[in-house]
């Protein structure tokens, strides 16, 4: 439990309650050596998405990248003053491109700094960028580099974010999960 709590950056008590819940739900099994086995990680991700919903669990603001997503991603690659992690369609393209992304979802620690540095404009409608201040900082702390130097959330996080995302996002989640099944050794660890 302590090792899991350290990795999750959570209290041992919280981890114990979560693992007990997962056992009760049939999503985790305690082994004789006190470790846990999750045999169906896709079911675990789906259960996670029932409680954690990207657009409801975090502070989300709507923006327009006036020169489009490609220009935005080039700007983000060159920017060193903003702590971020891409998620959603753009991030999923690192592993399982479904269709050209129409919007970018980006976890950031400071929305105002990111928007100013990336040349974004606030909007109430027609956004092509969602800036998300994460409720749980682990989303960014465990991010990785992909897509020619961009920082992206881990595949499991991206899949869960897509499961509850707008439009075609749930279909993209299914595509990413299929990629994850076929390439399990490359993303787990």
């Amino acid at each position: 439990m302590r090792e899991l709590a350290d990795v999750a950056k959570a209290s041992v008590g919280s981890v114990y309650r979560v693992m007990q819940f997962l056992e009760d739900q049939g999503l985790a099994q305690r082994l004789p050596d006190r470790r846990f086995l999750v045999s169906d990680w896709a079911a675990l991700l789906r259960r996670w998405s029932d409680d954690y919903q990207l657009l409801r669990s975090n502070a989300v603001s709507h923006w327009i990248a006036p020169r489009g997503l490609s220009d935005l991603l080039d700007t983000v690659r060159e920017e060193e003053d903003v702590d971020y992690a891409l998620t959603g369609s753009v991030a999923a393209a690192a592993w399982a491109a479904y269709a050209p992304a129409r919007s970018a979802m980006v976890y950031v620690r400071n929305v105002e700094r990111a928007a100013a540095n990336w040349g974004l404009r606030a909007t109430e409608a027609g956004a092509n960028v969602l800036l998300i201040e994460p409720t749980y900082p682990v989303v960014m702390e465990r991010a990785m580099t992909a897509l020619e130097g961009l920082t992206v959330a881990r595949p499991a996080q991206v899949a869960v974010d897509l499961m509850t995302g707008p439009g075609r996002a749930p279909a993209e989640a299914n595509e990413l999960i299929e990629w994850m099944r076929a390439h399990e050794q490359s993303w787990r660890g």
Side-chain angles (χ1 to χ4, degrees), residues 7 11 33 48 65 77-79 85 91 97 99 102 107 112 121 124 127 136 139 152 154-155 177 181 184:
V7 170
S11 72
D33 65 1
W48 175 16
R77 269 186 197 94
E78 296 171 11
E79 175 65 48
R102 292 185 237 160
Y107 287 109
E112 292 77 21
R121 296 185 185 145
E124 294 295 320
Y136 307 103
V139 138
V152 298
R154 293 284 176 173
I177 287 171
R181 284 186 205 281
E184 193 166 342

Side-chain angles (χ1 to χ4, degrees), residues 6-25:
D6 288 344
V7 170
K9 298 188 179 191
S11 72
V12 173
S14 293
V15 169
Y16 178 83
R17 285 187 296 278
V18 168
M19 294 312 298
Q20 184 64 52
F21 173 78
L22 294 176
E23 279 185 281
D24 293 346
Q25 296 288 307

Side-chain angles (χ1 to χ4, degrees), residues 81-148:
D81 192 37
V82 175
D83 194 12
Y84 75 93
L86 293 165
T87 190
S89 302
V90 172
W95 308 287
Y98 181 77
R102 292 185 237 160
S103 63
M105 296 189 287
V106 189
Y107 287 109
V108 295
R109 292 194 198 278
N110 185 311
V111 167
E112 292 77 21
R113 176 181 288 154
N117 288 10
W118 298 343
L120 302 177
R121 296 185 185 145
T123 187
E124 294 295 320
N128 64 353
V129 179
L130 299 179
L131 294 183
I132 306 154
E133 288 185 336
T135 300
Y136 307 103
V138 71
V139 138
M140 297 176 68
E141 292 164 2
R142 293 193 35 89
M144 58 192 287
T145 302
L147 299 170
E148 300 174 18

